[in-house]
Amino acid sequence: MALSRTEAQQRADEIAVFQRELDRLQHEQVLQLSEPQQQQVSSHHQQLLAIYRRQFDIDADHQSRQLSLGMRIASLFGALALAASVLFLFNQFWDLFSEPLQCTILIASSLGSFLLTVLVRRHDDTGYFSKMAAMLALSCLVLNTLLLGEMFNLTPSAHVLLAWAAYALLLAYYVDTRLLLGCGLALLMAYFSTRVSTWLDLYWLDGFEHPEHVLPAALLIFALPSWVSQQRYQGFASIYRLLGMLGLLIPIWLLSIWGQSSDLPWSTHTIEGFYRVVGFALSALLASLGVRRNWPVVINTSVIFFILFLFTQFFDWWWELLPAYLFFFLISLIAIAVLLVLRRLRGFQSRGQRP
Amino acid sequence: MKWQSRYFIWAGLGLIGLINLSSLSSVIYNRSGEPSSRVVLSEYELRPLKHSSFSDSSRISLILEWRTTADNPNTPYSHNTHMLSQQQIQRLGLSPKANCADNCRLPPSLAVFAVFALTDTVPVEPKKDALFYSNRSRLQLLDISLDQQDLRARYPDPQRYLILAAQAKPVNQYTGGLEVYLELSQNSINVPTQWQASLRPLGRCKSEPNQAPRYQIELSVGQRLEPWVSDVNVSHPCR
């Protein structure tokens, strides 16, 4: 079965770990491989790594990993700069063209940037250049839609969010980039939030003033990688969970301080109290789920939100009653308590027990 | 994975095609047949707006300025966003909550249709100077409804009455009443390239009190109530 770049990188990492541990075991005289055995393992690994480097341009050691991070940052800046360049290019020469030519240029820029992405991906083993091209393609399509809307005074529509989301997700899977996946999922949540508003007989743009409308889509996005495997794409499952959690916990936090935006038929005070409880319970539940399933992103995000809910609650209770130094001292005590709980959880996990 | 790659390429091309096709077909549909309204407006109703979203250099778009009826004492939110009168609010079926001691949430916004017409006189308001009156928009909001057909039946002349899509948004609630503002769905109107050059010099001249409007624009509104500039006549360039 053909490997993906992610799987090749995983295997290379495992080879490096295995090699280090084997050296240690031999040094501690726990295990001794004969010379031919060592040579056989080593040449097999070297052969595999050479194939992976040739086919997928993987990071074979720590130094190349550091360089890869730098390349990733450079490609992100490059992509943003390229998108800005296209925007200003349009801006500079736009008035020189007639309307039919403007339309043609917009459509051609979308098609051209997409075909460029396809072309670059075929020849780019590293993936950095194809990610830049994919970012450019998304920017071109967004510009295409916005400028067509402006040229012909089109009424803004929620469906454009779905179109952008579909395109961002398609490009994300095509060139294997998490940034575009995040953009696509955020757009998808925004779109479904407007749909919920429409189903509730509200004006679609009002959906953004009702944080509850994001919750169903966020829940689906959080659960999706558990149903549809994302194993072939490195870090995609984490992005789904992260975006899903942000889509769940940010609206709940907003509702806990701004109950008027809720659809629930209760008093504002009751709604805010209800969402505070939900926020605490959900972040604790997600932290526990993260520990059980070994999802670091879920653990970290839920801990951050748990502290945020706690801080909001304490601010509400004590900010006006206590002097500032005492208030922040209490917050630091709470942070220490959270640290102790997490350390305990980590202890249970490393001993293979359930908390 | 060749077949997967091919699937992605076709899906991407299809998506780009679909997005552009749907945008352009809605333009074609909007501009097909007889326009639902076609009125000639002046500089006072269609003010140049220099900075459109994406062109910060010299591109001009227009902003439709209108005013409410003389009996509405509310001051405007901005040139193209005004408060509705209590009568208009009631006509839309919007009403404040009877008992809002604890839970004073506002009713939701409504997608509505508004009918405008040019009037000859501008109602006098205190504390405003001569320049304010002389150069003020003559386009007045006449009526508002949830039903476009109902408005068209009551205001059938497309050369005189301009029907546009808008949003009625409740912004405040007080004892026994609501404050609702009306905002047009289409805030700025693009000026096609062929008329950009004739309107651009006007941005450099200052508007004087009691000055005759320097340009007239024929504004058409289509089947989807999306407006477009169908003719421009510059009568007094920079003086």
Side-chain angles (χ1 to χ4, degrees):
Chain A
M1 187 187 148
L3 283 181
S4 67
R5 186 179 188 276
T6 309
E7 286 162 336
Q9 183 64 61
Q10 260 173 9
R11 182 77 193 269
D13 293 344
E14 282 161 12
I15 290 172
V17 171
F18 170 80
Q19 202 58 52
R20 279 199 298 275
E21 185 57 21
L22 183 64
D23 288 347
R24 268 192 218 112
L25 291 174
Q26 285 185 333
H27 182 72
E28 290 161 7
Q29 298 186 333
V30 178
L31 175 74
Q32 290 296 333
L33 291 180
S34 66
E35 196 64 25
Q37 278 177 322
Q38 273 204 39
Q39 272 185 358
Q40 206 177 349
V41 171
S42 171
S43 74
H44 176 65
H45 281 165
Q46 291 308 322
Q47 212 176 347
L48 279 179
L49 290 175
I51 293 169
Y52 295 160
R53 261 195 296 266
R54 198 171 56 244
Q55 282 187 352
F56 303 106
D57 193 51
I58 54 152
D59 302 323
D61 51 33
H62 183 67
Q63 279 84 359
S64 42
R65 189 167 289 235
Q66 293 292 319
L67 276 175
S68 286
L69 182 66
M71 285 164 78
R72 263 209 296 275
I73 295 168
S75 79
L76 172 66
F77 277 107
L80 293 176
L82 209 55
S85 155
V86 172
L87 176 75
F88 288 110
L89 180 77
F90 277 31
N91 188 31
Q92 187 77 26
F93 299 108
W94 205 232
D95 289 348
L96 301 176
F97 310 127
S98 64
E99 267 182 17
L101 192 56
Q102 286 175 346
C103 277
T104 314
I105 290 171
L106 286 175
I107 298 169
S109 70
S110 289
L111 287 172
S113 56
F114 180 72
L115 293 174
L116 179 76
T117 310
V118 172
L119 198 71
V120 171
R121 186 183 174 266
R122 281 191 183 157
H123 297 98
D124 173 30
D125 297 327
T126 63
Y128 300 112
F129 298 102
S130 40
K131 282 170 192 171
M132 270 176 76
M135 280 291 287
L136 177 73
L138 180 65
S139 315
C140 282
L141 188 84
V142 171
L143 265 181
N144 175 182
T145 331
L146 290 179
L147 284 179
L148 269 187
E150 192 178 91
M151 272 169 67
F152 297 113
N153 309 309
L154 300 179
T155 310
S157 158
H159 299 304
V160 78
L161 295 173
L162 181 65
W164 291 343
Y167 195 62
L169 291 176
L170 189 84
L171 288 169
Y173 278 94
Y174 187 57
V175 298
D176 193 0
T177 169
R178 282 172 282 179
L179 182 64
L180 284 178
L181 179 73
C183 292
L185 293 177
L187 286 165
L188 206 59
M189 280 197 279
Y191 173 72
F192 280 110
S193 156
T194 64
R195 289 299 85 197
V196 172
S197 304
T198 311
W199 292 329
L200 294 173
D201 277 340
L202 297 177
Y203 190 68
W204 71 269
L205 270 172
D206 280 3
F208 300 113
E209 293 172 18
H210 294 265
E212 276 156 345
H213 299 183
V214 186
L215 299 179
L219 194 63
L220 271 177
I221 284 171
F222 180 80
L224 200 74
S226 304
W227 301 328
V228 184
S229 170
Q230 304 291 318
Q231 217 175 353
R232 289 184 61 79
Y233 302 91
Q234 189 182 15
F236 272 35
S238 300
I239 297 291
Y240 271 95
R241 291 189 189 111
L242 177 68
L243 264 288
M245 284 183 75
L246 294 178
L248 282 171
L249 291 169
I250 292 177
I252 289 174
W253 179 72
L254 286 173
L255 287 159
S256 75
I257 53 175
W258 182 42
Q260 280 207 321
S261 59
S262 169
D263 291 328
L264 296 175
W266 306 331
S267 73
T268 309
H269 185 71
T270 314
I271 290 167
E272 288 174 0
F274 170 73
Y275 277 109
R276 258 174 225 176
V277 174
V278 170
F280 278 123
L282 190 63
S283 41
L285 189 76
L286 286 169
S288 143
L289 186 72
V291 170
R292 278 162 203 263
R293 299 279 176 92
N294 197 18
W295 291 337
V297 169
V298 175
I299 301 170
N300 295 336
T301 316
S302 44
V303 168
I304 289 170
F305 272 93
F306 191 85
I307 292 171
L308 181 69
F309 279 109
L310 215 55
F311 181 82
T312 313
Q313 185 62 61
F314 290 163
F315 186 88
D316 201 32
W317 281 342
W318 296 331
W319 182 248
E320 286 181 2
L321 292 176
L322 296 178
Y325 71 90
L326 197 58
F327 176 79
F328 285 110
F329 179 66
L330 275 174
I331 295 290
S332 71
L333 285 184
I334 298 299
I336 291 167
V338 169
L339 269 177
L340 291 174
V341 171
L342 286 176
R343 199 174 72 163
R344 203 172 155 78
L345 276 174
R346 197 177 62 171
F348 279 127
Q349 198 186 23
S350 59
R351 287 197 296 274
Q353 297 172 5
R354 289 199 162 194
Chain B
M1 296 284 221
K2 266 192 173 168
W3 69 268
Q4 253 187 350
S5 183
R6 203 170 298 158
Y7 164 79
F8 275 119
I9 294 167
W10 284 115
L13 292 175
L15 204 52
I16 294 170
L18 192 71
I19 291 167
N20 282 293
L21 197 70
S22 72
S23 298
L24 293 175
S25 59
S26 71
V27 175
I28 292 167
Y29 171 68
N30 182 54
R31 298 188 184 186
S32 63
E34 278 297 303
S36 69
S37 310
R38 176 166 276 171
V39 291
V40 176
L41 302 173
S42 77
E43 175 183 8
Y44 303 143
E45 290 78 50
L46 281 169
R47 302 263 181 199
L49 179 75
K50 271 223 179 134
H51 300 272
S52 68
S53 322
F54 290 98
S55 315
D56 62 2
S57 53
S58 54
R59 190 165 182 79
I60 288 177
S61 53
L62 300 165
I63 190 151
L64 191 70
E65 284 194 11
W66 53 277
R67 55 189 172 77
T68 43
T69 44
D71 59 343
N72 183 4
N74 293 312
T75 50
Y77 245 48
S78 66
H79 292 299
N80 61 345
T81 307
H82 294 257
M83 287 295 187
L84 294 178
S85 66
Q86 286 305 316
Q87 198 186 3
Q88 287 165 331
I89 293 170
Q90 280 164 13
R91 206 172 304 150
L92 293 177
L94 289 169
S95 56
K97 289 210 166 181
N99 178 16
C100 70
D102 189 27
N103 188 359
C104 260
R105 268 169 284 166
L106 294 165
S109 302
L110 293 175
V112 298
F113 301 96
V115 60
F116 299 88
L118 283 171
T119 52
D120 295 329
T121 54
V122 179
V124 175
E125 291 172 35
K127 297 178 190 169
K128 300 287 179 190
D129 57 19
L131 180 67
F132 178 84
Y133 292 121
S134 63
N135 295 0
R136 213 181 156 194
S137 170
R138 266 80 175 155
L139 192 67
Q140 184 174 288
L141 172 71
L142 291 187
D143 207 346
I144 186 166
S145 172
L146 295 168
D147 182 1
Q148 187 190 346
Q149 301 308 322
D150 164 53
L151 277 188
R152 185 44 81 202
R154 283 192 282 142
Y155 303 93
D157 187 355
Q159 310 284 334
R160 194 162 167 222
Y161 300 110
L162 187 65
I163 297 181
L164 293 170
Q167 185 193 357
K169 189 169 175 58
V171 284
N172 197 13
Q173 179 164 313
Y174 52 90
T175 317
L178 264 180
E179 281 184 345
V180 179
Y181 75 63
L182 186 77
E183 186 176 30
L184 296 180
S185 296
Q186 202 59 50
N187 271 324
S188 72
I189 298 161
N190 178 48
V191 177
T193 313
Q194 70 256 40
W195 292 304
Q196 283 281 333
S198 52
L199 285 179
R200 201 170 293 136
L202 299 171
R204 292 196 288 269
C205 321
K206 223 178 164 184
S207 193
E208 302 291 334
N210 299 317
Q211 178 184 284
R214 293 171 298 175
Y215 58 84
Q216 294 205 312
I217 287 177
E218 185 185 72
L219 190 74
S220 301
V221 179
Q223 315 301 319
R224 284 166 46 91
L225 297 188
E226 285 160 359
W228 76 94
V229 171
S230 45
D231 197 13
V232 174
N233 181 17
V234 179
S235 45
H236 301 287
C238 262
R239 283 175 286 207

